[in-house]
Amino acid sequence: MTNPLFYAKIILFGEYGMIEDSQGLVVPYSFYKGTLKFSDLSSEFEEKSNQHLQKYSDFLENLNLPEDFKLDVKTFKKDISNGLFFDSNIPQGYGVGSSGALVAAIFEKYSLSKHDPENISKDNLKNLKAVFGQMESYFHGKSSGMDPLICYMNLPILIENKENLDKVSIPKGEEGKGAIFLIDSGITGETGPMIQIFFEKMKTEGFRKTLKEEFIRYNNACIDAFLKKDMNPFFRNLKKLSHWAYEHFRPMIPESIFNIWKKGLDSNAYYLKLCGSGGGGYILGFTKDYEKAEKMLEGFQKEVIYRF
């Protein structure tokens, strides 16, 4: 029996804001995926992955998870000694949830109680997110559990606030001129240092005020308009959001992206925002006319993730 595939995730809206109780909208991204497999570990990639799993299993062994969410770590360790590894093409440090997919895959295979993502209650969704947060803290120090939850559910999730989240359906993509796309900044980002910068900024009252009064307002308005497929207010708020990030998230914007970020704001041809914590990896782009945006972004590697 082959193990299920776990897809990457993309935070369309809510990066950093979710820490301060903004809404968030996170969607699965099937272009990148990972699955647990057995092999003779003949390649360096497989061997390294197996060694990582070994260290991770020691961490999981000492994790005190609630009764309903306990893991069979003994079988996990046995499988590791028999050549288990995580076969994944999800790039690390790109803000698309490489550790989230791994956590989801391990939970799915080794959880002692079986959970059905299709029929999970809102309360259990919250409990699962907390469990995933504990499991993923191994990789990032502190984790909200959101990435593994998205990878595990394989459904779009609307984060209403710190306490509440729910499954949501996003408007069906269609072949139009508009697009949401990823731009490769050409460098990997590290989540830890970026979050550190954010918390440093949060110490100043001015930044806290503008985050709450402006960023969160634009962010939530974008989510609301996008889910209603109301594209005029969507792009109006998106421009404000992109401009705010250009002013206040400078350190998180990779240098290679600076000029094209500004170019988008000046021309209104497209708007950019962070994808995850920034610092590198992918940047998200939104445009009403992808052909035009593509010409203006020549030389950058791009991937379309949604058409409208």
Side-chain angles (χ1 to χ4, degrees):
M1 190 182 108
T2 59
N3 290 318
L5 290 168
F6 288 90
Y7 297 130
K9 68 89 189 73
I10 290 173
I11 297 177
L12 282 185
F13 293 99
E15 76 294 341
Y16 291 110
M18 286 192 278
I19 298 172
E20 289 302 307
D21 233 11
S22 82
Q23 289 185 350
L25 182 61
V26 193
V27 295
Y29 182 41
S30 60
F31 185 77
Y32 292 121
K33 46 194 152 310
T35 187
L36 290 165
K37 277 185 184 172
F38 287 96
S39 85
D40 56 4
L41 307 180
S42 50
S43 81
E44 193 191 341
F45 173 82
E46 291 169 6
E47 196 183 350
K48 249 191 179 154
S49 171
N50 178 268
Q51 286 165 358
H52 281 309
L53 290 183
Q54 220 163 334
K55 285 185 189 143
Y56 187 43
S57 70
D58 294 339
F59 168 82
L60 291 178
E61 204 168 24
N62 298 310
L63 208 57
N64 193 12
L65 296 173
E67 205 49 51
D68 282 358
F69 298 96
K70 288 209 181 300
L71 300 170
D72 183 355
V73 181
K74 211 169 143 189
T75 301
F76 182 38
K77 280 183 169 294
K78 199 176 123 206
D79 287 349
I80 292 166
S81 65
N82 287 327
L84 187 76
F85 76 104
F86 189 56
D87 188 16
S88 163
N89 69 348
I90 306 171
Q92 291 185 336
Y94 263 65
V96 288
S98 51
S99 59
L102 172 62
V103 169
I106 290 169
F107 182 81
E108 199 278 334
K109 191 169 169 63
Y110 298 102
S111 166
L112 289 164
S113 320
K114 288 302 157 204
H115 303 266
D116 176 10
E118 289 292 319
N119 298 311
I120 204 158
S121 71
K122 204 170 167 177
D123 275 348
N124 245 350
L125 211 56
K126 215 153 76 174
N127 299 335
L128 197 52
K129 179 174 172 277
V131 164
F132 282 148
Q134 280 181 270
M135 287 176 70
E136 204 190 24
S137 64
Y138 172 82
F139 301 97
H140 300 310
K142 190 174 190 270
S143 161
S144 70
M146 188 46 72
D147 284 13
L149 184 69
I150 301 295
C151 299
Y152 179 72
M153 300 291 294
N154 197 24
L155 293 165
I157 299 277
L158 173 68
I159 295 95
E160 292 154 16
N161 50 43
K162 273 186 187 153
E163 290 305 307
N164 294 304
L165 59 143
D166 212 350
K167 297 172 279 192
V168 71
S169 58
I170 61 170
K172 202 171 155 20
E174 53 194 58
E175 278 307 311
K177 284 176 76 170
I180 300 176
F181 56 97
L182 296 172
I183 299 175
D184 189 342
S185 68
I187 56 167
T188 55
E190 281 200 40
T191 301
M194 293 297 115
I195 287 179
Q196 208 50 53
I197 292 170
F198 176 75
F199 281 124
E200 275 306 308
K201 281 175 156 294
M202 283 299 285
K203 288 177 184 170
T204 64
E205 197 190 329
F207 180 78
R208 280 201 309 273
K209 193 172 182 314
T210 176
L211 183 90
K212 283 193 163 66
E213 289 174 9
E214 295 177 35
F215 177 84
I216 289 178
R217 195 171 84 235
Y218 306 147
N219 175 76
N220 293 1
C222 281
I223 293 174
D224 188 53
F226 180 70
L227 291 178
K228 288 178 182 160
K229 218 173 174 182
D230 208 344
M231 286 317 191
N232 285 334
F234 176 67
F235 274 97
R236 206 166 47 240
N237 283 290
L238 190 59
K239 179 172 187 175
K240 290 175 184 167
L241 192 63
S242 180
H243 188 266
W244 190 95
Y246 185 74
E247 294 289 316
H248 298 281
F249 279 162
R250 260 320 151 91
M252 289 83 157
I253 300 173
E255 246 171 80
S256 59
I257 300 292
F258 257 175
N259 293 341
I260 60 165
W261 194 299
K262 181 93 168 64
K263 201 167 147 187
L265 286 168
D266 292 344
S267 65
N268 293 319
Y270 59 85
Y271 302 123
L272 302 184
K273 65 180 291 298
L274 297 177
C275 177
S277 54
Y282 286 120
I283 295 294
L284 268 166
F286 299 79
T287 179
K288 288 179 180 176
D289 184 346
Y290 184 65
E291 230 172 89
K292 185 180 176 185
E294 195 176 27
K295 284 196 183 87
M296 288 175 73
L297 294 166
E298 221 180 333
F300 284 90
Q301 222 182 319
K302 297 167 291 292
E303 285 168 34
V304 173
I305 60 171
Y306 183 82
R307 296 297 308 227
F308 57 89

